Amino acid sequence: MSGEASDPRLRSLGLCLELERMARHVENRPALYDLMVNETARLFPYRQAAFWDASKRQVVTLSGVSKLDRDAPYVQFLEALMRHLQEHGVADASGLGAPASGASGPADPAACAVQLESGDVPEGIGGEWGRWLPSRVVWLPVHGGDRRGDRTIAGALLLARDAAFAEHEITVLSYLMDAYEHAWRAFDARRLRLPVTKKSKRWSVAILFVLFITVGFTWKVSLSSLGRAEVVPKVPWILRSPIEGVVKDILFEPNEPVEEGDVVVILDNTDLRNGLVVARQRQIVAETEYRRVSQQAIHDRRIRGELSLRRAELTLRKVEADYAAELLEKTEIRAARAGIAVYADPDDWEGRPVQTGERILSIADPRNSKLEVWLPVDDALTLSSGGRVEFFPAGSPAEPLSARLSYASYEPVQRRFDLLAYRLEARFTGEEYVPRIGLTGTAKVYSEEVSLFYYLFRRPLSALRRWMGL
């Protein structure tokens, strides 16, 4: 048993199987290159090793070197030697060549492993041999190609040492190169390779073009556009200023519930309160004068004519006092219906002068709302009543709300967001959730179905039309 374990042939066979297993588990080709030039030395010792990539026509890996310097004279000599061996081939001067992968026939680098020395190559290359390489090297080709039996050289492993390689060593190395070649081909198999010719390319382009035109004009999709949207009251009650004055206070915060009859807005009443005091004092004076003249008219017929004048003045002063009291009462503006107060900011109204009839805020039913959409002129669509609308709230765009178009303006207006747009209104269709009034977001408005070609090129065609002035 000990004699068998010490047999170098059995040891070489075990190492060969171990290297074969490692080659089949490498992750990429650079790792395979490193395995070939460095780990193969465990099988048979050598001084130098290099791997040649035929597709790149370059030496890609050297033994014992982590980073390859392509301008180094040693690398340039190896590349010249490898190019010559690939292009011209060489006879096995020593007679120790062994067919690779079961091939038969003469020793040829396109088909088998070959042992070389300086005299087997042209003088220009052989003259530099002793400077860069030991006396003996062995050329071990890796064959590529997708078809079975294709013996095209895809790369080659070059091993160099002073002593000649024995026949059994080259045989084992040829067997090992078959495993390396299998690992090499495995990376090509991962990429789908189809035979491509100029004629097939033209046919492929033509088929794709016809397919694109056919699908583009026959496949129908819903045309849509996006616009800014806001949830607004459907039928709001507008609270307007009944008189000219200055806003003193708004008693309800935005979106706060309001009951019918509640005082919502208070106007500054300083001038009106003082005016009412003056008007009432004038009324008292007029009553006193009227009473005095009435008593004197009983005894003096000459002043009976003045009695009518005093009565008219009393009536005027009473009307003035009543009017001042009415104006003072109007400084407290009450809600005509229940709902929520809808306006922007209380600080914007405090101390602000208002004209008679000017809108201050609105009171709306929170359960009765609609969607107001502003559709830009550039994105205008052919819309019809009942068209589908999806509202994407700013706070939860992943949960759109469904609505149906109920109104679309015929002319664009420049009212909000400083843009010229069409005003649309839509009613919500879902009953399980009523969005909060004042909620903003983006609305997607759907129109009729159009061809996929028009859907994709609508904007470029529109821009081209404007550029051409059509």
Side-chain angles (χ1 to χ4, degrees):
M1 293 297 293
S2 60
E4 292 180 359
S6 62
D7 190 342
R9 297 180 181 180
L10 293 178
R11 179 178 175 276
S12 298
L13 180 59
L15 288 174
C16 185
L17 295 176
E18 173 65 17
L19 292 174
E20 180 181 353
R21 184 191 67 80
M22 294 172 63
R24 300 188 193 282
H25 288 84
V26 292
E27 297 181 354
N28 47 51
R29 276 187 175 168
L32 180 63
Y33 299 155
D34 183 73
L35 174 69
M36 286 190 285
V37 300
N38 292 308
E39 298 298 327
T40 307
R42 296 170 54 189
L43 184 62
F44 299 116
Y46 51 80
R47 192 200 302 180
Q48 297 164 238
F51 187 81
W52 161 265
D53 190 332
S55 62
K56 298 179 180 179
R57 298 181 64 81
Q58 292 178 346
V59 172
V60 293
T61 307
L62 294 176
S63 60
V65 176
S66 59
K67 186 176 181 180
L68 186 66
D69 183 5
R70 197 159 303 283
D71 296 328
Y74 172 53
V75 175
Q76 294 179 357
F77 166 76
L78 288 178
E79 290 181 345
L81 174 62
M82 297 286 200
R83 280 194 295 268
H84 172 77
L85 295 178
Q86 179 182 353
E87 293 172 0
H88 302 288
V90 63
D92 183 5
S94 63
L96 296 175
S101 303
S104 60
D108 189 323
C112 62
V114 178
Q115 185 168 195
L116 307 169
E117 53 188 18
S118 60
D120 298 323
V121 295
E123 184 177 354
I125 300 175
E128 295 288 326
W129 185 294
R131 182 181 178 185
W132 303 111
L133 291 176
S135 58
R136 297 299 182 102
V137 300
V138 62
W139 161 278
L140 302 165
V142 173
H143 302 95
D146 296 328
R147 297 184 302 273
R148 186 176 182 181
D150 189 346
R151 309 307 293 170
T152 303
I153 293 181
L157 177 64
L158 188 73
L159 306 179
R161 70 183 186 187
D162 295 319
F165 287 86
E167 183 177 356
H168 75 277
E169 290 179 328
I170 296 182
T171 301
V172 174
L173 287 173
S174 299
Y175 174 83
L176 180 60
M177 289 305 298
D178 187 69
Y180 290 159
E181 182 178 307
H182 183 270
W184 174 286
R185 288 173 177 265
F187 293 108
D188 286 336
R190 295 178 184 179
R191 300 189 298 267
L192 180 61
R193 290 186 176 182
L194 298 176
V196 178
T197 62
K198 291 184 178 179
K199 185 176 181 180
S200 65
K201 285 183 178 180
R202 288 195 297 268
W203 273 105
S204 299
V205 171
I207 292 173
L208 289 176
F209 179 75
V210 172
L211 181 63
F212 173 75
I213 296 298
T214 303
V215 173
F217 284 96
T218 58
W219 190 9
K220 300 295 183 180
V221 295
S222 295
L223 191 62
S224 62
S225 289
L226 300 178
R228 297 187 180 184
E230 181 180 359
V231 179
V232 297
K234 182 178 289 186
V235 187
W237 178 76
I238 307 302
L239 189 147
R240 302 181 184 275
S241 176
I243 59 175
E244 183 177 350
V246 176
V247 176
K248 181 179 180 181
D249 192 12
I250 298 180
L251 303 181
F252 291 87
E253 297 291 332
N255 295 326
E256 186 176 354
V258 177
E259 297 296 333
E260 183 178 355
D262 288 346
V263 177
V264 181
V265 179
I266 298 178
L267 301 179
D268 185 76
N269 60 2
T270 303
D271 293 341
L272 295 176
R273 187 174 64 252
N274 295 336
L276 178 59
V277 172
V278 173
R280 285 178 176 174
Q281 290 298 325
R282 288 175 179 174
Q283 181 183 357
I284 294 174
V285 172
E287 289 177 353
T288 303
E289 287 294 323
Y290 176 72
R291 195 176 299 113
R292 182 184 63 81
V293 172
S294 298
Q295 291 175 357
Q296 289 180 357
I298 298 175
H299 305 286
D300 190 352
R301 290 177 175 269
R302 292 176 300 179
I303 63 173
R304 287 182 180 179
E306 189 180 353
L307 184 61
S308 299
L309 181 61
R310 296 300 178 182
R311 184 185 297 112
E313 185 179 359
L314 174 60
T315 302
L316 177 61
R317 298 305 181 184
K318 185 177 180 180
V319 171
E320 289 178 350
D322 292 341
Y323 178 67
E326 184 180 353
L327 291 180
L328 183 61
E329 184 180 355
K330 288 182 177 181
T331 57
E332 294 184 351
I333 308 176
R334 300 179 181 273
R337 66 170 62 176
I340 60 173
V342 180
Y343 66 104
D345 189 356
D347 295 335
D348 293 340
W349 286 99
E350 186 175 353
R352 175 175 170 179
V354 292
Q355 301 295 324
T356 302
E358 183 177 350
R359 174 175 177 168
I360 299 177
L361 53 83
S362 61
I363 296 177
D365 184 357
R367 297 165 298 179
N368 193 9
S369 60
K370 63 183 177 181
L371 185 66
E372 185 180 60
V373 183
W374 295 91
L375 192 65
V377 174
D378 293 340
D379 296 331
L381 304 173
T382 302
L383 303 174
S384 59
S385 181
R388 185 162 63 98
V389 179
E390 286 188 350
F391 175 54
F392 300 86
S396 54
E399 301 176 359
L401 302 176
S402 299
R404 290 290 176 180
L405 187 66
S406 58
Y407 168 78
S409 63
Y410 290 95
E411 295 182 354
V413 294
Q414 189 168 358
R415 182 180 175 187
R416 304 188 64 183
F417 316 118
D418 194 25
L419 55 83
L420 193 65
Y422 291 94
R423 181 176 176 272
L424 313 178
E425 291 183 0
R427 62 182 184 277
F428 293 102
T429 57
E431 299 180 355
E432 66 282 357
Y433 170 70
V434 179
R436 176 180 59 83
I437 293 176
L439 188 64
T440 60
T442 302
K444 188 173 186 179
V445 184
Y446 292 88
S447 181
E448 75 278 4
E449 289 190 346
V450 296
S451 65
L452 179 62
F453 179 84
Y454 180 77
Y455 180 84
L456 294 176
F457 295 99
R458 178 171 65 97
R459 290 181 181 275
L461 290 175
S462 177
L464 179 63
R465 176 180 58 81
R466 290 195 300 270
W467 180 73
M468 297 179 64
L470 300 177

